[in-house]
Amino acid sequence: MVAFAWIPFLLACVSPLSSVAAPLEGLTTTASFKGTPVFPPINYGLLCELPILQGICTRVAAKGSSGIQVTTPIGTAQGVADGSGANRFAVKYASATRWAASTVATKWAFPTGATNASGLPLACPQPSVDPSTYTEDCLSMILYVPTSLKANSDVPTLLWIHGGSFIAGSATAPGLDGSKLAIATNSIVAVMQYRLGALGFMAPSGATNLAVKDTITAMNFLAKVVPSFGGSAKKITLAGQSSGANMIRALLATPSASSLFQSAILQSDPINYGFLNASTQTALQSSYNTLTGCAATDKACQAALSLDAILDAQVTLGDNAPSIDASTGSAEPIRPVRDGSLITTPLDLTAAFPSVNKPILLSNVKNEAGPTIFGMFTGVLAPSVFGPVCEASLGDDRTATIQASPFYNTTNVADTRIPLEALGTDWVWRCPTWSLARSWVGHGGKAFVGLYVTGATYPANNGIAFCLESGSVCHQDDIEIVFGTVPNPTPAQAALTTEMQARYKAFLTTGNPNVAGLSPWTAATTTDVHAHQLGGTPTPSGEVPVGACDPSFWGAAVDYDYQVFGI
């Protein structure tokens, strides 16, 4: 979840030889007479490496103690059937020593903490959770593969990158079971983890964007293994929510990663914040090194740090970041850095926009700021509070323009939290997303923009009364809709899940979310993003009113934060 800077997720190949291939996978067998071996032990798994048998062993569904098995270029993948029509494979996709770049796994292995195919990965280290739930050796992912897939199916892969403000979250977070999404889209769904917080972004040596590089490593891993499961190495689409979408935007700004994926889906990206610039990162890094007591070159000191010490220093850095450099804000002070070598462009209104060609799908929810405003201010706010809050957050000049506009009127409003929530949603999420869409289209790409007006309350929002109200769709409330994991969905939620999974299936395949039988979703242009309403009672045009996201207001009359700070 993102908080404001300002207030404080196989069947065997049909072959008559499958009964022969099944016992070859991962078994070591010895012929015997009355219990005495008569031949040397034979490792039948090695036989699958022989060219004559590789066609037999490529895809095997073997039941028993080893569950589902698939031969990959890096060894036998063991998985489990989840009962829904998909098989699940948890795997370590990479390894990395502390504060070093990750490298692609060369052997298929269970995630740390898992002792068999049914085990799930431990999370990456993060504050305020039980240490038994995480491990530093956390570069793992879960693959969800429809049992209907056959060898050489050449289907797409959706790689999901979880949110959590770059300091929290995991591949096993609520709602991220990819089975139903994989089945509905006839794709492989991979849900990955990446190094969080200081371990992913604050290498004492000054090396930047280790977490971003983890996602690149994950894509290289998938390109190597998905053909074994029926996928195409050339049909990888990135998808993610909140900081996961922010990570994808960083990858869109990374020329060296461009060949690794064909399209992208960004849900609720807080684009207003922008990437950090190199000087800001240097200042944060210097402070972090001081907090840990380890010099940039003292590798022995760095290796000896406990995870508790690393996380404690991270929390302190996050608290102090706005006073070190105001451009960090307090919501995501640790985030991707435009370092000029990996991430080479801000992808915003502050610099020349690069030529692009990938199709992207950009979406927001109706009440992105609901958890922040109503989570922080638990009681009704008087109209007089609006101005001071805005001034403390946006400064006098931006506040004056906002108060003079018709978009956030506090006249005759009983609770000022309502216009504050609308302001926060437009400022941090919706309007900068629309600005990105216009720029993307204007420089060669294709973009489709949507807004969820129906959602499903995410577990993290259960304690926020506003998010439980009928009609509210808060930040994260789109996750379970997309994954099809809403518990006891209403007819409206079930219908939207069916629609979005159909649209995602089309987008994964063609780069266009339009599907026969569903209302037309018009692609964005440089002057009109044609934001498609997702759920609810359709407007006559099927589109969402522009409101304050007109290009003459946000990004022009009122600057985004990334414009204010020149990042």
Side-chain angles (χ1 to χ4, degrees):
M1 180 183 299
V2 172
F4 287 143
W6 46 290
I7 18 184
F9 183 63
L10 301 170
L11 286 176
C13 107
V14 178
S15 167
L17 296 176
S18 61
S19 61
V20 175
L24 297 181
E25 290 296 310
L27 299 179
T28 300
T29 306
T30 301
S32 64
F33 177 71
K34 294 183 178 181
T36 301
V38 295
F39 295 113
I42 301 173
N43 186 337
Y44 287 103
L46 294 177
L47 295 180
C48 285
E49 301 299 319
L50 297 177
I52 194 172
L53 291 180
Q54 284 181 347
I56 298 173
C57 298
T58 296
R59 294 182 49 80
V60 176
K63 298 193 180 292
S65 61
S66 61
I68 312 300
Q69 297 184 348
V70 173
T71 297
T72 78
I74 59 171
T76 301
Q78 297 186 41
V80 293
D82 68 7
S84 69
N87 297 326
R88 186 185 74 223
F89 299 83
V91 61
K92 287 177 61 173
Y93 68 84
S95 60
T97 57
R98 180 175 290 179
W99 285 312
S102 55
T103 57
V104 179
T106 58
K107 181 180 179 180
W108 190 280
F110 295 137
T112 299
T115 58
N116 56 56
S118 63
L120 296 174
L122 295 173
C124 291
Q126 50 197 280
S128 306
V129 300
D130 185 340
S132 67
T133 65
Y134 61 66
T135 176
E136 195 168 348
D137 184 19
C138 64
L139 297 183
S140 301
M141 66 171 61
I142 306 172
L143 276 65
Y144 298 89
V145 185
T147 58
S148 59
L149 289 188
K150 297 177 173 60
N152 303 315
S153 295
D154 207 37
V155 302
T157 295
L158 183 151
L159 175 59
W160 179 267
I161 305 176
H162 70 77
S165 297
F166 295 115
I167 60 171
S170 72
T172 57
L176 298 189
D177 183 327
S179 298
K180 293 180 179 179
L181 181 59
I183 294 166
T185 56
N186 193 41
S187 70
I188 296 168
V189 172
V191 183
M192 68 166 289
Q193 301 181 162
Y194 49 94
R195 283 174 288 182
L196 300 169
L199 289 167
F201 292 95
M202 288 291 154
S205 67
T208 56
N209 294 315
L210 292 177
V212 180
K213 294 173 183 177
D214 290 343
T215 62
I216 294 173
T217 301
M219 286 189 284
N220 279 306
F221 174 84
L222 286 172
K224 182 181 292 187
V225 303
V226 291
S228 300
F229 296 88
S232 168
K234 297 181 179 180
K235 298 178 182 178
I236 294 175
T237 293
L238 301 180
Q241 186 269 349
S242 194
S243 60
N246 188 334
M247 182 74 84
I248 295 169
R249 179 162 43 90
L251 292 166
L252 289 169
T254 300
S256 59
S258 183
S259 64
L260 298 176
F261 62 105
Q262 67 172 6
S263 54
I265 300 171
L266 289 74
Q267 299 176 205
S268 299
D269 182 359
I271 296 175
N272 171 74
Y273 301 146
F275 304 133
L276 294 182
N277 62 35
S279 61
T280 300
Q281 177 68 15
T282 298
L284 293 178
Q285 189 67 65
S286 177
S287 178
Y288 186 74
N289 289 2
T290 300
L291 289 167
T292 62
C294 293
T297 58
D298 194 343
K299 293 187 177 181
C301 177
Q302 298 160 19
L305 288 170
S306 68
L307 286 177
D308 281 345
I310 289 171
L311 293 174
D312 287 346
Q314 172 189 310
V315 171
T316 301
L317 178 68
D319 291 342
N320 295 339
S323 63
I324 297 170
D325 188 319
S327 70
T328 64
S330 61
E332 285 184 354
I334 298 174
R335 62 184 189 265
V337 183
R338 180 164 59 94
D339 53 8
S341 55
L342 188 75
I343 300 175
T344 61
T345 174
L347 278 188
D348 60 27
L349 301 176
T350 64
F353 206 91
S355 296
V356 295
N357 55 24
K358 296 183 189 298
I360 61 173
L361 195 157
L362 306 167
S363 65
N364 295 107
V365 300
K366 176 186 171 191
N367 306 111
E368 297 277 16
T372 301
I373 297 298
F374 289 86
M376 180 167 291
F377 300 116
T378 57
V380 173
L381 293 180
S384 60
V385 173
F386 186 88
V389 169
C390 286
E391 289 171 0
S393 309
L394 293 98
D396 294 345
D397 291 343
R398 288 194 289 177
T399 296
T401 304
I402 285 169
Q403 288 188 298
S405 77
F407 301 119
Y408 311 108
N409 194 348
T410 59
T411 303
N412 299 321
V413 174
D415 188 350
T416 297
R417 292 179 300 176
I418 300 299
L420 282 175
E421 189 281 321
L423 169 61
T425 292
D426 287 350
W427 170 28
V428 177
W429 287 278
R430 186 171 74 103
C431 297
T433 295
W434 291 22
S435 291
L436 172 61
R438 297 185 195 101
S439 294
W440 193 265
V441 172
H443 291 83
K446 180 171 286 189
F448 295 88
V449 177
L451 182 78
Y452 287 84
V453 300
T454 294
T457 303
Y458 197 69
N461 294 332
N462 278 330
I464 302 171
F466 172 81
C467 295
L468 300 177
E469 293 177 2
S470 176
S472 294
V473 188
C474 288
H475 191 67
Q476 296 184 293
D477 286 355
D478 52 341
I479 294 175
E480 293 180 333
I481 292 291
V482 167
F483 275 80
T485 51
V486 181
N488 303 311
T490 64
Q493 291 169 334
L496 184 55
T497 288
T498 298
E499 174 182 344
M500 294 313 300
Q501 291 182 342
R503 292 193 184 278
Y504 275 29
K505 179 179 181 178
F507 187 78
L508 295 179
T509 305
T510 68
N512 188 316
N514 280 290
V515 179
L518 295 178
S519 58
W521 190 336
T522 304
T525 69
T526 56
T527 57
D528 190 341
V529 301
H530 296 289
H532 195 75
Q533 180 177 305
L534 304 173
T537 302
T539 62
S541 67
E543 297 179 5
V544 177
V546 175
C549 292
D550 187 284
S552 67
F553 191 71
W554 279 107
V558 182
D559 286 343
Y560 299 122
D561 283 1
Y562 64 70
Q563 294 171 296
V564 171
F565 296 109
I567 56 175

